Amino acid sequence: MKTLNRFLAVFILTIISSTMMAQNNKAKVLVLIHSDNGGTYELAKQISKGIESNGDVQPIIKQVKSSSHPSLKNVPVASVEELSSYDGIAFGSPVYFGNISTGMSEFLSKTVNLWTNHALEGMPATVFMSAGSGAGNELAVQAFWNTLSVHGMILVSNGIRGIEKIDKNIPQGNTVLGATSLASVKNVERPSSGEKEIAFEQGKNFAKIVFALKGTFNKNSEIKILQDKSIEKVLAEKNIVLPNVPKPAGNYQPFVRSGNLVFINQVALKDGKILYPGKLGVSVDENQVKEATKQTMLNVLAVLKDAVNGDLNKVKKVVQLTGIFNTKDDYTKHADLMNVASDLAVDVFGDKGKHARATFGASSVPVNSSVEIQAIFEVE
């Protein structure tokens, strides 16, 4: 009995070990998409099915940014760092005026460090896109190829495949460079069955190339992206000087921290006096209020620095800015005034400085300031 148990244990371990080895030997393909309304995602699923039909290759669908679209909300978001860990990448994007989408473009703009490290050189890549009218399809795919070529990726075209299953009685998206879908054609399922078939064949063909090239290029488990510049260095380079932390004018604190959130309210105090006090259109003009807005935001940043014990690199996100302006009842350009504060947040913190925002007018603001800013930050 003991001998039988040992035999079964060894047998089970052998099966588990063989299964794990088989999984490890599989080539992994990232199907990386940006999708507005789900059209690109539908193509991505067909591309993935084609890839998966090759038992030696495993597809993984991820998106470049999170989406609230019902079909996309559970699709994981990829990081730039992980791109170099795959054996191939299939890129999918909507067509924006004959080019790749803004979301995909923003993601690819962050791959400079990968390019510097030659991290994607020799890796196979293929492209598929979801279009509106269909005009500009090939132009957009070619634009996609340009970026991937700079990385030294091996571009795998789709060629002429799957056309025998296309219904030629309806408009179809199809290019030799990569599968496309005409998303805006009415009264026709999109992607159409023919477009899905072309995408499946593209995935199938791509998987064959990926597996053949597996191990022929230097694959990094993950390229470490360079740390963001020190905020102090950014401030110095941009000649941004933070003032001393303004003292409260009442029974309150300059900031309150609750968990990882810091809450700050400030007015346009400079050197102990309000900069350009008064009401816009009565005693001050727009340029003066913009100067006051900049000073107010500098005060916010000075308080924030105090809140993180002098290390602004601990700021993870500018969450919300609210601008309150002392204006006449008929004034409507509050957003233009607040842009000064928003631009300063992005200048200092980069992508972490992009935030939600609200602006509105008031009949008066405390201490006759022309502006007050309320800010919320996420910190370490």
Side-chain angles (χ1 to χ4, degrees), residues 34-36 93-103 129-130 140:
H34 175 226
S35 187
D36 289 321
S93 165
V95 174
Y96 279 18
F97 300 101
N99 212 324
I100 58 180
S101 71
T102 303
M129 303 192 80
S130 179

Side-chain angles (χ1 to χ4, degrees), residues 137-200:
N137 276 12
E138 290 197 344
L139 192 65
V141 176
Q142 286 177 320
F144 222 141
W145 274 35
N146 289 340
T147 300
L148 306 184
S149 296
V150 171
H151 275 290
M153 303 187 81
I154 295 176
L155 306 176
V156 181
S157 66
N158 202 28
I160 311 264
R161 65 183 71 252
I163 58 172
E164 65 278 358
K165 296 185 179 180
I166 287 180
D167 183 354
K168 297 179 176 59
N169 295 315
I170 61 174
Q172 300 281 355
N174 184 25
T175 79
V176 296
L177 303 179
T180 61
S181 174
L182 308 187
S184 67
V185 177
K186 299 183 185 301
N187 302 319
V188 178
E189 179 190 5
R190 290 298 178 185
S192 69
S193 59
E195 291 167 343
K196 288 180 179 179
E197 183 63 31
I198 292 172
F200 178 88

Side-chain angles (χ1 to χ4, degrees), residues 11 15 134 208:
F11 180 69
I15 292 176
K208 180 178 67 176

Side-chain angles (χ1 to χ4, degrees), residues 88-283:
I89 304 176
F91 294 88
S93 165
V95 174
Y96 279 18
F97 300 101
N99 212 324
I100 58 180
S101 71
T102 303
M104 180 61 73
S105 179
E106 288 177 346
F107 183 88
L108 292 175
S109 71
K110 300 174 184 176
T111 61
V112 174
N113 198 47
L114 296 180
W115 171 75
T116 302
N117 286 279
H118 307 276
L120 302 181
E121 282 187 7
M123 182 186 293
T126 197
V127 172
F128 58 97
M129 303 192 80
S130 179
S133 65
N137 276 12
E138 290 197 344
L139 192 65
V141 176
Q142 286 177 320
F144 222 141
W145 274 35
N146 289 340
T147 300
L148 306 184
S149 296
V150 171
H151 275 290
M153 303 187 81
I154 295 176
L155 306 176
V156 181
S157 66
N158 202 28
I160 311 264
R161 65 183 71 252
I163 58 172
E164 65 278 358
K165 296 185 179 180
I166 287 180
D167 183 354
K168 297 179 176 59
N169 295 315
I170 61 174
Q172 300 281 355
N174 184 25
T175 79
V176 296
L177 303 179
T180 61
S181 174
L182 308 187
S184 67
V185 177
K186 299 183 185 301
N187 302 319
V188 178
E189 179 190 5
R190 290 298 178 185
S192 69
S193 59
E195 291 167 343
K196 288 180 179 179
E197 183 63 31
I198 292 172
F200 178 88
E201 291 295 329
Q202 181 173 349
K204 183 178 178 181
N205 179 62
F206 187 57
K208 180 178 67 176
I209 304 298
V210 168
F211 190 72
L213 293 176
K214 186 177 185 293
T216 63
F217 57 92
N218 292 325
K219 188 176 74 166
N220 298 288
S221 60
E222 196 169 281
I223 289 288
K224 186 176 180 181
I225 298 301
L226 293 174
Q227 296 262 337
D228 291 337
K229 282 185 180 179
S230 162
I231 299 299
E232 290 298 328
K233 188 173 182 180
V234 172
L235 294 175
E237 288 177 350
K238 296 180 180 292
N239 295 317
I240 299 172
V241 178
L242 300 184
N244 294 325
V245 176
K247 294 181 179 180
N251 187 18
Y252 61 89
Q253 299 296 319
F255 69 88
V256 169
R257 177 167 179 168
S258 178
N260 288 335
L261 295 179
V262 174
F263 299 79
I264 300 171
N265 290 354
Q266 284 294 310
V267 293
L269 192 67
K270 183 178 182 181
D271 299 329
K273 298 179 180 179
I274 294 297
L275 180 66
Y276 299 124
K279 185 180 290 292
L280 176 58
V282 177
S283 55

Side-chain angles (χ1 to χ4, degrees), residues 57-68:
V57 186
Q58 175 187 356
I60 301 167
I61 300 177
K62 292 190 177 185
Q63 54 185 337
V64 298
K65 59 188 295 187
S66 59
S67 172
S68 59

